PDB file of all heavy atoms in Angstrom:
ATOM      1  N   GLY A 484      99.893 174.335  66.299  1.00 97.00           N
ATOM      2  CA  GLY A 484     100.068 172.884  66.044  1.00 97.00           C
ATOM      3  C   GLY A 484     100.130 172.193  67.392  1.00 97.00           C
ATOM      4  O   GLY A 484     100.722 172.717  68.312  1.00 97.00           O
ATOM      5  N   GLY A 485      99.542 171.058  67.453  1.00 94.00           N
ATOM      6  CA  GLY A 485      99.521 170.352  68.727  1.00 94.00           C
ATOM      7  C   GLY A 485     100.086 168.957  68.595  1.00 94.00           C
ATOM      8  O   GLY A 485      99.515 168.026  69.131  1.00 94.00           O
ATOM      9  N   GLY A 486     101.196 168.814  67.932  1.00 94.00           N
ATOM     10  CA  GLY A 486     101.771 167.450  67.722  1.00 94.00           C
ATOM     11  C   GLY A 486     103.010 167.252  68.573  1.00 94.00           C
ATOM     12  O   GLY A 486     103.208 167.855  69.614  1.00 94.00           O
ATOM     13  N   ASN A 487     103.871 166.390  68.047  1.00 94.00           N
ATOM     14  CA  ASN A 487     105.100 166.012  68.752  1.00 94.00           C
ATOM     15  C   ASN A 487     105.969 167.243  69.127  1.00 94.00           C
ATOM     16  O   ASN A 487     106.377 167.463  70.272  1.00 94.00           O
ATOM     17  CB  ASN A 487     105.909 165.051  67.936  1.00 94.00           C
ATOM     18  CG  ASN A 487     105.506 163.630  68.138  1.00 94.00           C
ATOM     19  OD1 ASN A 487     104.845 163.078  67.292  1.00 94.00           O
ATOM     20  ND2 ASN A 487     105.835 163.074  69.312  1.00 94.00           N
ATOM     21  N   ALA A 488     106.258 168.035  68.087  1.00 96.00           N
ATOM     22  CA  ALA A 488     107.127 169.141  68.307  1.00 96.00           C
ATOM     23  C   ALA A 488     106.560 170.166  69.312  1.00 96.00           C
ATOM     24  O   ALA A 488     107.235 170.656  70.228  1.00 96.00           O
ATOM     25  CB  ALA A 488     107.480 169.838  66.969  1.00 96.00           C
ATOM     26  N   VAL A 509      97.729 176.374  69.921  1.00 98.00           N
ATOM     27  CA  VAL A 509      96.559 176.348  69.018  1.00 98.00           C
ATOM     28  C   VAL A 509      96.624 174.977  68.299  1.00 98.00           C
ATOM     29  O   VAL A 509      97.514 174.795  67.467  1.00 98.00           O
ATOM     30  CB  VAL A 509      96.545 177.496  68.058  1.00 98.00           C
ATOM     31  CG1 VAL A 509      95.179 177.561  67.358  1.00 98.00           C
ATOM     32  CG2 VAL A 509      96.850 178.809  68.756  1.00 98.00           C
ATOM     33  N   LYS A 511      94.812 171.896  66.054  1.00 97.00           N
ATOM     34  CA  LYS A 511      93.675 171.467  65.200  1.00 97.00           C
ATOM     35  C   LYS A 511      93.056 170.189  65.683  1.00 97.00           C
ATOM     36  O   LYS A 511      91.844 169.976  65.541  1.00 97.00           O
ATOM     37  CB  LYS A 511      94.272 171.267  63.756  1.00 97.00           C
ATOM     38  CG  LYS A 511      93.210 171.293  62.719  1.00 97.00           C
ATOM     39  CD  LYS A 511      93.809 171.605  61.343  1.00 97.00           C
ATOM     40  CE  LYS A 511      94.457 170.375  60.730  1.00 97.00           C
ATOM     41  NZ  LYS A 511      94.966 170.597  59.371  1.00 97.00           N
ATOM     42  N   GLU A 512      93.832 169.341  66.314  1.00 95.00           N
ATOM     43  CA  GLU A 512      93.267 168.083  66.798  1.00 95.00           C
ATOM     44  C   GLU A 512      92.539 168.291  68.139  1.00 95.00           C
ATOM     45  O   GLU A 512      92.618 169.334  68.775  1.00 95.00           O
ATOM     46  CB  GLU A 512      94.386 167.030  66.995  1.00 95.00           C
ATOM     47  CG  GLU A 512      94.904 166.535  65.687  1.00 95.00           C
ATOM     48  CD  GLU A 512      95.897 165.443  65.862  1.00 95.00           C
ATOM     49  OE1 GLU A 512      95.544 164.320  66.297  1.00 95.00           O
ATOM     50  OE2 GLU A 512      97.098 165.652  65.527  1.00 95.00           O
ATOM     51  N   ARG A 519     103.097 160.494  67.927  1.00 91.00           N
ATOM     52  CA  ARG A 519     102.437 160.140  66.648  1.00 91.00           C
ATOM     53  C   ARG A 519     102.866 158.774  66.096  1.00 91.00           C
ATOM     54  O   ARG A 519     102.052 157.990  65.543  1.00 91.00           O
ATOM     55  CB  ARG A 519     102.717 161.207  65.595  1.00 91.00           C
ATOM     56  CG  ARG A 519     101.828 161.216  64.428  1.00 91.00           C
ATOM     57  CD  ARG A 519     101.873 162.493  63.629  1.00 91.00           C
ATOM     58  NE  ARG A 519     101.591 163.668  64.395  1.00 91.00           N
ATOM     59  CZ  ARG A 519     100.326 164.031  64.755  1.00 91.00           C
ATOM     60  NH1 ARG A 519      99.278 163.369  64.272  1.00 91.00           N
ATOM     61  NH2 ARG A 519     100.141 165.110  65.484  1.00 91.00           N
ATOM     62  N   PRO A 520     104.201 158.403  66.268  1.00 90.00           N
ATOM     63  CA  PRO A 520     104.606 157.092  65.683  1.00 90.00           C
ATOM     64  C   PRO A 520     103.821 155.912  66.190  1.00 90.00           C
ATOM     65  O   PRO A 520     103.679 154.898  65.493  1.00 90.00           O
ATOM     66  CB  PRO A 520     106.100 156.997  66.156  1.00 90.00           C
ATOM     67  CG  PRO A 520     106.556 158.405  66.236  1.00 90.00           C
ATOM     68  CD  PRO A 520     105.331 159.133  66.755  1.00 90.00           C
ATOM     69  N   THR A 523     100.748 153.881  63.930  1.00 91.00           N
ATOM     70  CA  THR A 523     100.825 152.735  62.955  1.00 91.00           C
ATOM     71  C   THR A 523     101.539 151.573  63.578  1.00 91.00           C
ATOM     72  O   THR A 523     101.913 150.626  62.878  1.00 91.00           O
ATOM     73  CB  THR A 523     101.559 153.194  61.673  1.00 91.00           C
ATOM     74  OG1 THR A 523     102.608 154.070  62.037  1.00 91.00           O
ATOM     75  CG2 THR A 523     100.655 153.836  60.734  1.00 91.00           C
ATOM     76  N   LYS A 524     101.752 151.609  64.920  1.00 86.00           N
ATOM     77  CA  LYS A 524     102.362 150.509  65.582  1.00 86.00           C
ATOM     78  C   LYS A 524     101.400 149.859  66.543  1.00 86.00           C
ATOM     79  O   LYS A 524     100.315 149.374  66.162  1.00 86.00           O
ATOM     80  CB  LYS A 524     103.677 150.965  66.276  1.00 86.00           C
ATOM     81  CG  LYS A 524     104.636 151.561  65.242  1.00 86.00           C
ATOM     82  CD  LYS A 524     105.903 152.025  65.913  1.00 86.00           C
ATOM     83  CE  LYS A 524     106.865 152.716  64.897  1.00 86.00           C
ATOM     84  NZ  LYS A 524     106.321 153.925  64.252  1.00 86.00           N
ATOM     85  N   ALA A 568      91.966 175.587  64.188  1.00 98.00           N
ATOM     86  CA  ALA A 568      93.040 175.648  63.145  1.00 98.00           C
ATOM     87  C   ALA A 568      93.390 177.095  62.882  1.00 98.00           C
ATOM     88  O   ALA A 568      92.520 177.947  62.809  1.00 98.00           O
ATOM     89  CB  ALA A 568      92.588 174.974  61.866  1.00 98.00           C
ATOM     90  N   VAL A 569      94.697 177.356  62.815  1.00 98.00           N
ATOM     91  CA  VAL A 569      95.161 178.630  62.343  1.00 98.00           C
ATOM     92  C   VAL A 569      94.895 178.737  60.912  1.00 98.00           C
ATOM     93  O   VAL A 569      95.241 177.791  60.123  1.00 98.00           O
ATOM     94  CB  VAL A 569      96.636 178.873  62.710  1.00 98.00           C
ATOM     95  CG1 VAL A 569      97.262 179.974  61.911  1.00 98.00           C
ATOM     96  CG2 VAL A 569      96.762 179.103  64.208  1.00 98.00           C
ATOM     97  N   ALA A 595     104.546 174.826  64.451  1.00 98.00           N
ATOM     98  CA  ALA A 595     104.803 173.413  64.566  1.00 98.00           C
ATOM     99  C   ALA A 595     103.619 172.643  63.958  1.00 98.00           C
ATOM    100  O   ALA A 595     103.022 171.809  64.651  1.00 98.00           O
ATOM    101  CB  ALA A 595     105.041 172.990  66.047  1.00 98.00           C
ATOM    102  N   THR A 596     103.328 172.951  62.732  1.00 98.00           N
ATOM    103  CA  THR A 596     102.092 172.382  62.104  1.00 98.00           C
ATOM    104  C   THR A 596     102.355 171.054  61.443  1.00 98.00           C
ATOM    105  O   THR A 596     101.447 170.425  60.875  1.00 98.00           O
ATOM    106  CB  THR A 596     101.534 173.372  61.071  1.00 98.00           C
ATOM    107  OG1 THR A 596     102.616 173.864  60.279  1.00 98.00           O
ATOM    108  CG2 THR A 596     100.802 174.509  61.738  1.00 98.00           C
ATOM    109  N   GLY A 597     103.662 170.574  61.411  1.00 98.00           N
ATOM    110  CA  GLY A 597     103.925 169.264  60.923  1.00 98.00           C
ATOM    111  C   GLY A 597     103.649 169.084  59.438  1.00 98.00           C
ATOM    112  O   GLY A 597     103.963 169.965  58.629  1.00 98.00           O
ATOM    113  N   ARG A 618      97.365 160.021  59.490  1.00 96.00           N
ATOM    114  CA  ARG A 618      98.286 161.039  60.049  1.00 96.00           C
ATOM    115  C   ARG A 618      97.989 161.309  61.479  1.00 96.00           C
ATOM    116  O   ARG A 618      98.877 161.555  62.292  1.00 96.00           O
ATOM    117  CB  ARG A 618      98.151 162.331  59.183  1.00 96.00           C
ATOM    118  CG  ARG A 618      99.007 163.454  59.656  1.00 96.00           C
ATOM    119  CD  ARG A 618     100.480 163.210  59.281  1.00 96.00           C
ATOM    120  NE  ARG A 618     101.388 163.978  60.177  1.00 96.00           N
ATOM    121  CZ  ARG A 618     102.712 163.993  59.995  1.00 96.00           C
ATOM    122  NH1 ARG A 618     103.295 163.292  59.074  1.00 96.00           N
ATOM    123  NH2 ARG A 618     103.436 164.696  60.815  1.00 96.00           N
ATOM    124  N   TYR A 643     107.771 153.323  55.269  1.00 95.00           N
ATOM    125  CA  TYR A 643     107.593 152.792  56.641  1.00 95.00           C
ATOM    126  C   TYR A 643     106.144 152.767  57.108  1.00 95.00           C
ATOM    127  O   TYR A 643     105.733 151.875  57.810  1.00 95.00           O
ATOM    128  CB  TYR A 643     108.515 153.479  57.645  1.00 95.00           C
ATOM    129  CG  TYR A 643     108.067 154.855  58.036  1.00 95.00           C
ATOM    130  CD1 TYR A 643     107.236 155.060  59.144  1.00 95.00           C
ATOM    131  CD2 TYR A 643     108.556 155.978  57.357  1.00 95.00           C
ATOM    132  CE1 TYR A 643     106.858 156.330  59.489  1.00 95.00           C
ATOM    133  CE2 TYR A 643     108.170 157.215  57.699  1.00 95.00           C
ATOM    134  CZ  TYR A 643     107.316 157.396  58.764  1.00 95.00           C
ATOM    135  OH  TYR A 643     106.914 158.688  59.148  1.00 95.00           O
ATOM    136  N   ILE A 644     105.332 153.725  56.643  1.00 97.00           N
ATOM    137  CA  ILE A 644     103.906 153.730  56.991  1.00 97.00           C
ATOM    138  C   ILE A 644     103.252 152.457  56.459  1.00 97.00           C
ATOM    139  O   ILE A 644     102.545 151.762  57.143  1.00 97.00           O
ATOM    140  CB  ILE A 644     103.208 155.023  56.518  1.00 97.00           C
ATOM    141  CG1 ILE A 644     103.781 156.296  57.132  1.00 97.00           C
ATOM    142  CG2 ILE A 644     101.671 154.878  56.713  1.00 97.00           C
ATOM    143  CD1 ILE A 644     103.182 156.730  58.431  1.00 97.00           C
ATOM    144  N   GLY A 767     110.193 171.029  63.829  1.00 98.00           N
ATOM    145  CA  GLY A 767     109.568 169.721  63.413  1.00 98.00           C
ATOM    146  C   GLY A 767     109.481 169.533  61.919  1.00 98.00           C
ATOM    147  O   GLY A 767     110.309 170.117  61.137  1.00 98.00           O
ATOM    148  N   ASP A 768     108.514 168.750  61.513  1.00 98.00           N
ATOM    149  CA  ASP A 768     108.418 168.388  60.072  1.00 98.00           C
ATOM    150  C   ASP A 768     108.271 169.576  59.120  1.00 98.00           C
ATOM    151  O   ASP A 768     108.611 169.470  57.959  1.00 98.00           O
ATOM    152  CB  ASP A 768     107.076 167.562  59.881  1.00 98.00           C
ATOM    153  CG  ASP A 768     107.182 166.127  60.333  1.00 98.00           C
ATOM    154  OD1 ASP A 768     108.216 165.763  60.952  1.00 98.00           O
ATOM    155  OD2 ASP A 768     106.216 165.363  60.089  1.00 98.00           O
ATOM    156  N   GLU A 784     111.308 164.481  58.541  1.00 96.00           N
ATOM    157  CA  GLU A 784     109.943 164.061  59.021  1.00 96.00           C
ATOM    158  C   GLU A 784     110.072 162.913  59.955  1.00 96.00           C
ATOM    159  O   GLU A 784     109.512 161.865  59.763  1.00 96.00           O
ATOM    160  CB  GLU A 784     109.088 163.702  57.844  1.00 96.00           C
ATOM    161  CG  GLU A 784     108.748 164.896  56.952  1.00 96.00           C
ATOM    162  CD  GLU A 784     107.848 164.560  55.774  1.00 96.00           C
ATOM    163  OE1 GLU A 784     107.520 163.307  55.574  1.00 96.00           O
ATOM    164  OE2 GLU A 784     107.505 165.419  55.012  1.00 96.00           O
ATOM    165  N   HIS A 785     110.867 163.077  61.023  1.00 94.00           N
ATOM    166  CA  HIS A 785     110.979 162.034  62.032  1.00 94.00           C
ATOM    167  C   HIS A 785     110.900 162.567  63.404  1.00 94.00           C
ATOM    168  O   HIS A 785     111.249 163.764  63.654  1.00 94.00           O
ATOM    169  CB  HIS A 785     112.342 161.304  61.823  1.00 94.00           C
ATOM    170  CG  HIS A 785     112.487 160.712  60.505  1.00 94.00           C
ATOM    171  ND1 HIS A 785     111.480 159.984  59.915  1.00 94.00           N
ATOM    172  CD2 HIS A 785     113.513 160.708  59.622  1.00 94.00           C
ATOM    173  CE1 HIS A 785     111.849 159.536  58.740  1.00 94.00           C
ATOM    174  NE2 HIS A 785     113.076 159.990  58.508  1.00 94.00           N
ATOM    175  N   VAL A 786     110.453 161.735  64.317  1.00 92.00           N
ATOM    176  CA  VAL A 786     110.060 162.184  65.625  1.00 92.00           C
ATOM    177  C   VAL A 786     111.254 162.642  66.474  1.00 92.00           C
ATOM    178  O   VAL A 786     111.143 163.572  67.257  1.00 92.00           O
ATOM    179  CB  VAL A 786     109.221 161.066  66.321  1.00 92.00           C
ATOM    180  CG1 VAL A 786     110.060 159.883  66.772  1.00 92.00           C
ATOM    181  CG2 VAL A 786     108.450 161.636  67.458  1.00 92.00           C
ATOM    182  N   ALA A 789     111.691 166.103  65.655  1.00 96.00           N
ATOM    183  CA  ALA A 789     110.606 166.939  66.270  1.00 96.00           C
ATOM    184  C   ALA A 789     111.003 167.276  67.694  1.00 96.00           C
ATOM    185  O   ALA A 789     110.891 168.430  68.108  1.00 96.00           O
ATOM    186  CB  ALA A 789     109.294 166.149  66.215  1.00 96.00           C
ATOM    187  N   PHE A 814     116.544 157.586  62.175  1.00 91.00           N
ATOM    188  CA  PHE A 814     115.197 157.133  61.914  1.00 91.00           C
ATOM    189  C   PHE A 814     115.039 155.708  62.381  1.00 91.00           C
ATOM    190  O   PHE A 814     115.981 154.908  62.346  1.00 91.00           O
ATOM    191  CB  PHE A 814     114.880 157.190  60.427  1.00 91.00           C
ATOM    192  CG  PHE A 814     113.538 156.702  60.069  1.00 91.00           C
ATOM    193  CD1 PHE A 814     112.460 157.388  60.566  1.00 91.00           C
ATOM    194  CD2 PHE A 814     113.392 155.511  59.378  1.00 91.00           C
ATOM    195  CE1 PHE A 814     111.151 156.865  60.271  1.00 91.00           C
ATOM    196  CE2 PHE A 814     112.117 155.012  59.101  1.00 91.00           C
ATOM    197  CZ  PHE A 814     111.043 155.726  59.555  1.00 91.00           C
ATOM    198  N   TYR A 815     113.897 155.390  62.924  1.00 92.00           N
ATOM    199  CA  TYR A 815     113.688 154.007  63.372  1.00 92.00           C
ATOM    200  C   TYR A 815     112.315 153.512  62.945  1.00 92.00           C
ATOM    201  O   TYR A 815     111.431 154.360  62.612  1.00 92.00           O
ATOM    202  CB  TYR A 815     113.771 153.924  64.878  1.00 92.00           C
ATOM    203  CG  TYR A 815     112.584 154.472  65.583  1.00 92.00           C
ATOM    204  CD1 TYR A 815     111.496 153.601  65.952  1.00 92.00           C
ATOM    205  CD2 TYR A 815     112.457 155.742  65.885  1.00 92.00           C
ATOM    206  CE1 TYR A 815     110.334 154.134  66.579  1.00 92.00           C
ATOM    207  CE2 TYR A 815     111.323 156.321  66.498  1.00 92.00           C
ATOM    208  CZ  TYR A 815     110.279 155.452  66.827  1.00 92.00           C
ATOM    209  OH  TYR A 815     109.122 155.948  67.405  1.00 92.00           O
TER     210      TYR A 815
HETATM  211  P1  FAD B 775     102.904 166.596  63.976  1.00 77.41           P
HETATM  212  O1  FAD B 775     103.217 165.666  65.060  1.00 77.41           O
HETATM  213  O2  FAD B 775     102.245 166.157  62.731  1.00 77.41           O
HETATM  214  O3  FAD B 775     102.033 167.785  64.615  1.00 77.41           O
HETATM  215  C1  FAD B 775     101.459 168.772  63.838  1.00 77.41           C
HETATM  216  C2  FAD B 775     100.194 169.179  64.505  1.00 77.41           C
HETATM  217  O4  FAD B 775      99.776 170.424  64.032  1.00 77.41           O
HETATM  218  C3  FAD B 775      99.061 168.189  64.165  1.00 77.41           C
HETATM  219  O5  FAD B 775      98.341 167.856  65.368  1.00 77.41           O
HETATM  220  C4  FAD B 775      98.157 168.963  63.209  1.00 77.41           C
HETATM  221  O6  FAD B 775      96.798 168.659  63.342  1.00 77.41           O
HETATM  222  C5  FAD B 775      98.396 170.384  63.750  1.00 77.41           C
HETATM  223  N1  FAD B 775      98.121 171.427  62.736  1.00 77.41           N
HETATM  224  C6  FAD B 775      98.396 171.373  61.426  1.00 77.41           C
HETATM  225  N2  FAD B 775      97.994 172.536  60.816  1.00 77.41           N
HETATM  226  C7  FAD B 775      97.476 173.311  61.777  1.00 77.41           C
HETATM  227  C8  FAD B 775      96.845 174.601  61.835  1.00 77.41           C
HETATM  228  N3  FAD B 775      96.746 175.318  60.675  1.00 77.41           N
HETATM  229  N4  FAD B 775      96.410 175.079  62.992  1.00 77.41           N
HETATM  230  C9  FAD B 775      96.539 174.340  64.146  1.00 77.41           C
HETATM  231  N5  FAD B 775      97.073 173.119  64.195  1.00 77.41           N
HETATM  232  C10 FAD B 775      97.519 172.600  63.025  1.00 77.41           C
HETATM  233  N6  FAD B 775     108.875 159.095  62.874  1.00 77.41           N
HETATM  234  C11 FAD B 775     109.917 158.262  63.289  1.00 77.41           C
HETATM  235  O7  FAD B 775     111.035 158.737  63.429  1.00 77.41           O
HETATM  236  N7  FAD B 775     109.699 156.938  63.523  1.00 77.41           N
HETATM  237  C12 FAD B 775     108.459 156.335  63.347  1.00 77.41           C
HETATM  238  O8  FAD B 775     108.338 155.188  63.565  1.00 77.41           O
HETATM  239  C13 FAD B 775     107.402 157.192  62.881  1.00 77.41           C
HETATM  240  N8  FAD B 775     106.167 156.683  62.750  1.00 77.41           N
HETATM  241  C14 FAD B 775     105.181 157.496  62.303  1.00 77.41           C
HETATM  242  C15 FAD B 775     103.910 156.977  62.101  1.00 77.41           C
HETATM  243  C16 FAD B 775     102.850 157.759  61.637  1.00 77.41           C
HETATM  244  C17 FAD B 775     101.469 157.202  61.449  1.00 77.41           C
HETATM  245  C18 FAD B 775     103.106 159.108  61.316  1.00 77.41           C
HETATM  246  C19 FAD B 775     101.988 159.998  60.764  1.00 77.41           C
HETATM  247  C20 FAD B 775     104.331 159.680  61.536  1.00 77.41           C
HETATM  248  C21 FAD B 775     105.370 158.872  62.038  1.00 77.41           C
HETATM  249  N9  FAD B 775     106.631 159.372  62.229  1.00 77.41           N
HETATM  250  C22 FAD B 775     107.679 158.568  62.659  1.00 77.41           C
HETATM  251  C23 FAD B 775     106.885 160.809  61.980  1.00 77.41           C
HETATM  252  C24 FAD B 775     106.740 161.616  63.241  1.00 77.41           C
HETATM  253  O9  FAD B 775     105.576 161.279  63.879  1.00 77.41           O
HETATM  254  C25 FAD B 775     106.742 163.089  62.874  1.00 77.41           C
HETATM  255  O10 FAD B 775     107.991 163.418  62.333  1.00 77.41           O
HETATM  256  C26 FAD B 775     106.453 164.014  64.049  1.00 77.41           C
HETATM  257  O11 FAD B 775     105.209 163.705  64.617  1.00 77.41           O
HETATM  258  C27 FAD B 775     106.533 165.455  63.653  1.00 77.41           C
HETATM  259  O12 FAD B 775     106.160 166.279  64.673  1.00 77.41           O
HETATM  260  P2  FAD B 775     105.531 167.717  64.335  1.00 77.41           P
HETATM  261  O13 FAD B 775     105.098 168.301  65.645  1.00 77.41           O
HETATM  262  O14 FAD B 775     106.417 168.465  63.469  1.00 77.41           O
HETATM  263  O15 FAD B 775     104.219 167.352  63.498  1.00 77.41           O
END
Side-chain angles (χ1 to χ4, degrees):
N487 274 105
V509 191
K511 200 159 79 175
E512 290 184 67
R519 198 165 303 281
T523 36
K524 300 180 183 64
V569 162
T596 44
R618 181 73 202 182
Y643 74 90
I644 297 270
D768 283 9
E784 291 179 358
H785 301 315
V786 72
F814 178 67
Y815 76 92

